[in-house]
């Protein structure tokens, strides 16, 4: 396994749309790629990572919202024994709750930036597992939040795109700095 370099805000691949996968695309090389994505996510202390964040344009992300003791997001205590990796291939949201809520989000591709983002509290989702099993289920709490954030990545959307003018203006300096750094690569 290997750690994959994480693409940072400003790198064009984060703004591209990822491509649908077919069952025959699931081979040993892809499974190895998913293992690398998981390792990269855990190493970076993240709870989700989408393929475009490591420069790959296939519609897949990995999530693990179980890897922690306690549910305080800011002071997450990680416990490797509790890891439960979920791989979502060709993910979709097919229904959302009427109510939204605000929740503080961050992103491995936008280091040191956090902001409260409004999103539906619950989402009904559909995706394929690594075994190509079709899953359809309602998600809530942190899992619903992460699923929506990661699905956005597959369409070139970042959490800061959801912010209103005031919050975006407040973050503009940090974002421009990241953009400058990543364009220098
Ligand atoms: Zn992200």
């Amino acid at each position: 396994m290997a750690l994959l370099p994480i693409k940072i805000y400003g790198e064009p691949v984060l703004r591209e749309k990822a491509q649908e996968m077919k069952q025959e695309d699931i081979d040993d090389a892809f499974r190895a790629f998913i293992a690398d994505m998981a390792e990269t996510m855990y190493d970076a202390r993240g709870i989700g990572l989408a393929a475009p964040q490591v420069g790959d344009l296939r519609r897949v992300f990995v999530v693990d919202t179980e890897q922690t003791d306690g549910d305080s997001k800011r002071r997450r205590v990680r416990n490797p024994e509790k890891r439960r990796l979920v791989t979502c291939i060709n993910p979709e949201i097919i229904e959302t709750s009427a109510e939204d809520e605000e929740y503080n989000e961050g992103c491995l591709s936008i280091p040191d930036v956090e902001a409260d983002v409004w999103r539906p509290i619950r989402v009904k989702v559909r995706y394929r597992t690594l075994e190509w099993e079709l899953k359809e289920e309602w998600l809530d709490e942190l899992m619903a939040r992460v699923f929506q954030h990661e699905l956005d990545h597959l369409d070139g959307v970042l959490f800061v795109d959801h912010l209103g003018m005031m919050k975006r203006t407040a973050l503009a300096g940090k974002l421009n700095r990241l953009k400058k750094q990543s364009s220098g690569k």
Side-chain angles (χ1 to χ4, degrees), residues 5-63:
I6 296 176
K7 303 289 176 187
I8 300 299
Y9 186 84
E11 296 194 63
V13 69
L14 291 174
R15 291 309 197 175
E16 283 179 45
K17 195 174 161 67
Q19 299 302 308
E20 194 99 349
M21 295 195 69
K22 298 191 190 79
Q23 189 168 10
E24 56 263 36
D25 299 330
I26 314 299
D27 54 12
D28 286 347
F30 180 70
R31 280 184 281 267
F33 170 69
I34 293 300
D36 288 347
M37 275 186 69
E39 197 188 357
T40 303
M41 176 185 77
Y42 289 125
D43 179 73
R45 305 174 70 79
I47 53 176
L49 185 70
Q53 294 183 272
V54 291
D56 186 288
L57 288 171
R58 288 177 281 192
R59 294 189 80 79
V60 61
F61 58 73
V62 292
V63 182

Side-chain angles (χ1 to χ4, degrees), residues 53 106-109 149-150 153 159:
Q53 294 183 272
C107 180
L108 295 178
S109 294
H149 176 117
E150 300 307 329
H153 275 299
F159 81 91

